[in-house]
Amino acid sequence: MQQFDLNEHPHRRYNPLTDTWVLVSPHRSKRPWQGQVEKPLSDHRLEHDPTCYLCPGNPRIGGEDNPDYKDTYVFTNDFSALLENVPQGRFSKGDIYKAESQQGICKVICFSPRHDLTIPEMETSAIRRVVDLWVNEYQALGSNEFINYVQIFENKGQIMGCSNPHPHGQIWSQSTVPQEPARKTDNQRAYYQKHGSSLLADYVQAELEDGIRIVCENEHFVALVPFWAVWPFETMMVSKRHVQNIVQLTDSEKDAFAEIYKRLTIKYDNVFEVSFPYSAGIHQSPTDGLPHEYWHLHMSFFPPLLRSATVKKFMVGYELLAEPQRDVTPEFSAQKLRALPDEHYKQKIMRALFE
Ligand code: H2U
């Protein structure tokens, strides 16, 4: 009998942040790399689209007009999933029926006044202003007595259910810590109590020593494909210093956050030479006033594309009924992403035209 090999044999990998497992089937992807580069789908967009409800000066569906903003712009979601003024209460019946009211505030953030840009095409200095906005919103929303968790996220691409290509993200903040960050709270706390150190600081150090799952890094951040990644090109950006949340980042760490966000998303766009869809979001300490010294700031990216700009990974069948599964190994994906250029493919085309 051969020896167990992570690159050859079906196995399950453990995610210590969420206490969950993923089934990895490397033998199914023994075939050579099939990530064909497709002709870029036409994504030509106007710099200002008069029909876009996020462009400066345009009316929103809620009736308000956007101001003539010049860099970032944030507003309360006109169709907020959570509301500030709701009657408080609980409902229960035996051990089966349980419900609780939920208070919250939802915001929409426009990353840029330019309708035709995306994060990888924006200047690093402009992305830095997005980071600053995240910091301000996390602080302002979190300072509300009834807000105990602030979820910052970005849905990019129609395939992810994003309703508008204008570069934007969202923030949902609420009274309860939702289950994904709650799991991460419990598991980071347990690790910290056992080892006296941050789970992610120890993990990043081990990954940097090993190198096989690293995508790119700068002075203050590392982007890697987690050992336990579920999505084909799932990645995580982690701060090298153990900080609990974005408010604690220094100015040069915020610059580094913006720089690695751009670099990683350029690599993503370069995979299939199309605007790479994903859901991404920041996980950080709850805003319930407790110290949460074990929390370690990170941003996760969950892109659905698998083998081409149109073939995506579906979380169906076994995944819905049993547990998540992947074919290509995280090491394979990391190596692919690492090898891709830091120059955006559109930039390269433009450069070639003018050379
Ligand atoms: P997506 O990131 O999923 O495309 O969502 C955009 C958000 O913008 C969505 O939550 C909000 C929607 O409720 N929105 C407004 O707040 N005002 C509008 O005029 C249109 C869309």
Side-chain angles (χ1 to χ4, degrees), residues 315-334:
M315 290 290 173
V316 293
Y318 182 83
E319 278 97 347
L320 279 182
L321 290 149
E323 65 188 18
Q325 183 272 345
R326 63 180 294 141
D327 292 346
V328 293
T329 62
E331 295 72 35
F332 179 89
S333 303

Side-chain angles (χ1 to χ4, degrees), residues 53-54 59-63 75-80 107-108 153-156 160-164 168-170 172:
Y53 52 75
L54 298 180
R60 294 206 306 273
I61 297 165
F75 61 90
T76 300
N77 197 314
D78 297 309
F79 306 96
S80 296
K107 297 215 170 170
V108 179
F153 65 97
E154 178 192 359
N155 269 340
K156 183 170 170 248
M160 297 308 289
C162 181
S163 60
N164 186 329
H168 72 282
Q170 295 194 49
W172 292 19

